[in-house]
Amino acid sequence: MNFELSEEQKLMLEEVKRVCKEVIEPQSEKVEKEGFFPRKNLEILADMDLFGLIIPEEYGGLGMGFLTWAIIAEEISRACATTGLSFGANLLCVYPLMTFGNEEQKKKYLTQLAKKAIGAFALTEPEAGSDAGNVKTRAIKKNGKYYLTGRKIFITNGGEADIYIIIASTDPDRGPRGLSAFIVEKDYPGFSIGQHFDKMGFKGLPNAELVLDNCEVPEENLLAKEGRGFKIAMDTFAAGRIGVGIGALGVAERALEEAVRYSKERVQFGRPISSFQAIQHMLAEVATEIEAARLLLYKAAWLKDQGLPFEKFASMGKYYASEVAMKATVKAVQIFGGYGYTTDYPVERLLRQAKLFEIIEGTTEIQKNIIASRILKEYR
Ligand SMILES: Cc1cc2nc3c(=O)[nH]c(=O)nc-3n(C[C@H](O)[C@H](O)[C@H](O)COP(=O)(O)OP(=O)(O)OC[C@H]3O[C@@H](n4cnc5c(N)ncnc54)[C@H](O)[C@@H]3O)c2cc1C
């Protein structure tokens, strides 16, 4: 077992840390307070070729693995969670194309996503959240085209993305087995953006409703074949959970960092509050749990890179890291005392952001269902 990063990973991380420190992190408070999409940050990451991190070299990417992606995304999320989550949502478009796309689709779309194009993945609908197979959006084939009609809600990067993977039903009688996945470009006729959701946190993260009104999609934009949509979505979410867990980890790390720094500066009873054991214990617990969350997520990413079953670890990592992010941010607010409850310091923002990780890409309850179903099979 080797925990050391490769030279290539170290160099990449060093460069990402520099950019985060100089450009991305200083913007993070403004992004949340003013609620704007940090497109510039994404452009910087794209210019560093990081959009193509896991995309094979033949399609213009760097051809690296999930573990490298995780190490880099962790740093981005620590610096600015909004940038991190938008960067992570790109993966949800890249991954199904890489895994299920045919040669022509990969050539056409992965090459764009490896450069500057922003991607998104749309499954959720008003009646299909945890019950992901209950998609009502309909895709009807006519004269060499599919026509998609329905509504998608809560779509990350919605309105900013260039390329969307959209799950729709080609055969409603077959339920989840009748779902299919489509590659949809933002300019296709019948595609538009509806409501933008006003959220508790992540005020700068694009999150929108997609309106599909007989949206015209060329036949060749069907991913894999009809009826594979549910499998594509489940596989994409499994891999994407590494990304969501990593986002939570970044938030937890930032909260710990802020709490440590503040505890050394804040003086009460004539001494820094970091000298009180009660404060030290909070820091110790959070630091330990962050390490444990990181190990789970890195293990999931490593397994994925080895082509080994990783899904259970991805669910464990996502579930655990999002709980750690909640704990880390609650404790950080506690350590900041009254100031922590104000918007003058970043910890209240981190607390609002942390909550999201327990909900997206399968709630904590759904992760526990997945983990339980695996261990019930493993231990007979
Ligand atoms: C900011 C944001 C970004 C998002 N980005 C995307 C995106 O890019 N693409 C996309 O497709 N979706 C996206 N989503 C949707 C997200 O994945 C769903 O909100 C999530 O899966 C939960 O679905 P739901 O909101 O319908 O909750 P529900 O499914 O209604 O769940 C409500 C409660 O019931 C519990 N519950 C439901 N079923 C069970 C069960 N079987 N066992 C135990 N408990 C259960 C849940 O855990 C939860 O506590 C996003 C959501 C948000 C808020």
Side-chain angles (χ1 to χ4, degrees):
M1 197 175 280
N2 182 1
F3 285 100
E4 207 178 345
L5 302 186
S6 69
E7 280 313 307
E8 196 179 18
Q9 287 168 331
K10 279 186 201 161
L11 284 174
M12 277 181 90
L13 185 58
E14 212 172 285
E15 185 55 11
V16 170
K17 274 184 192 272
R18 186 189 63 74
V19 168
C20 282
K21 190 164 177 235
E22 288 173 9
V23 191
I24 297 179
E25 192 172 323
Q27 285 279 314
S28 59
E29 291 313 304
K30 213 166 164 222
V31 165
E32 185 71 12
K33 279 193 179 138
E34 296 177 16
F36 66 89
F37 175 51
R39 182 173 272 277
K40 273 229 166 73
N41 290 348
L42 273 299
E43 282 169 3
I44 291 168
L45 299 175
D47 286 342
M48 293 168 77
D49 292 332
L50 296 177
F51 274 21
L53 239 168
I54 64 160
I55 296 177
E57 284 169 290
E58 57 195 296
Y59 306 112
L62 297 180
M64 301 187 88
F66 266 74
L67 184 56
T68 308
W69 187 94
I71 292 161
I72 299 299
E74 180 182 338
E75 184 57 31
I76 298 168
S77 291
R78 194 202 56 76
C80 174
T82 302
T83 306
L85 213 49
S86 176
F87 181 70
N90 249 12
L91 190 74
L92 299 180
C93 183
V94 166
Y95 182 74
L97 275 162
M98 267 175 65
T99 315
F100 298 97
N102 60 33
E103 194 50 33
E104 272 165 29
Q105 291 168 340
K106 287 181 188 175
K107 267 194 197 134
K108 181 166 179 191
Y109 292 107
L110 285 179
T111 48
Q112 296 179 49
L113 288 158
K115 296 295 166 229
K116 278 201 166 7
I118 293 181
F121 185 92
L123 180 142
T124 305
E125 298 181 359
E127 288 173 62
S130 302
D131 189 3
N134 196 30
V135 163
K136 301 285 184 233
T137 294
R138 190 78 170 89
I140 296 174
K141 196 171 171 184
K142 241 189 308 179
N143 307 326
K145 283 191 174 147
Y146 285 96
Y147 292 86
L148 272 54
T149 299
R151 272 188 331 125
K152 297 288 174 185
I153 55 168
F154 297 147
I155 306 308
T156 303
N157 285 346
E160 298 290 344
D162 305 287
I163 301 161
Y164 295 80
I165 303 294
I166 295 184
I167 306 295
S169 177
T170 38
D171 188 353
D173 292 340
R174 298 192 71 217
R177 283 164 188 264
L179 298 182
S180 304
F182 298 90
I183 310 161
V184 177
E185 296 180 26
K186 66 172 182 189
D187 300 326
Y188 281 176
F191 177 91
S192 64
I193 299 298
Q195 181 187 356
H196 289 267
F197 295 95
D198 189 8
K199 308 178 288 310
M200 175 199 280
F202 281 103
K203 300 285 190 184
L205 182 74
N207 191 261
E209 174 187 24
L210 312 184
V211 180
L212 303 154
D213 183 8
N214 260 319
C215 174
E216 221 175 284
V217 181
E219 186 179 27
E220 61 269 21
N221 279 28
L222 171 72
L223 209 47
K225 54 183 185 176
E226 283 190 17
R228 296 285 282 166
F230 192 67
K231 158 96 180 129
I232 292 172
M234 291 305 106
D235 281 13
T236 302
F237 285 150
R241 276 172 198 138
I242 299 175
V244 175
I246 285 289
L249 183 64
V251 167
E253 284 173 40
R254 179 71 177 275
L256 176 65
E257 202 177 296
E258 298 286 346
V260 169
R261 193 181 309 134
Y262 184 82
S263 72
K264 288 184 184 172
E265 287 165 5
R266 174 70 172 164
V267 174
Q268 288 290 276
F269 300 96
R271 40 202 262 226
I273 60 169
S274 62
S275 67
F276 300 131
Q277 199 178 46
I279 301 287
Q280 289 177 1
H281 282 190
M282 283 195 256
L283 297 174
E285 278 175 30
V286 167
T288 306
E289 289 170 26
I290 285 174
E291 286 297 332
R294 183 184 295 114
L295 287 175
L296 270 175
L297 289 162
Y298 281 15
K299 176 157 183 183
W302 179 84
L303 287 168
K304 176 90 191 78
D305 288 342
Q306 306 309 308
L308 294 168
F310 69 97
E311 295 81 358
K312 182 181 76 178
F313 285 92
S315 284
M316 285 176 166
K318 191 263 178 189
Y319 141 57
Y320 187 64
S322 54
E323 289 210 338
V324 173
M326 280 307 289
K327 179 165 172 180
T329 54
V330 166
K331 296 295 181 198
V333 170
Q334 191 66 15
I335 290 170
F336 272 71
Y339 296 105
Y341 203 68
T342 71
T343 56
D344 295 343
Y345 291 89
V347 287
E348 67 81 34
R349 180 255 305 172
L350 293 169
L351 172 54
R352 286 185 287 106
Q353 289 179 328
K355 184 63 205 163
L356 182 64
F357 297 104
E358 293 189 316
I359 297 168
I360 50 171
E361 275 195 60
T363 60
T364 293
E365 293 71 32
I366 296 300
Q367 301 316 313
K368 288 182 183 173
N369 290 351
I370 295 170
I371 298 162
S373 77
R374 301 275 163 155
I375 55 177
L376 287 170
K377 277 186 204 138
E378 279 170 28
Y379 298 91
R380 285 180 192 277

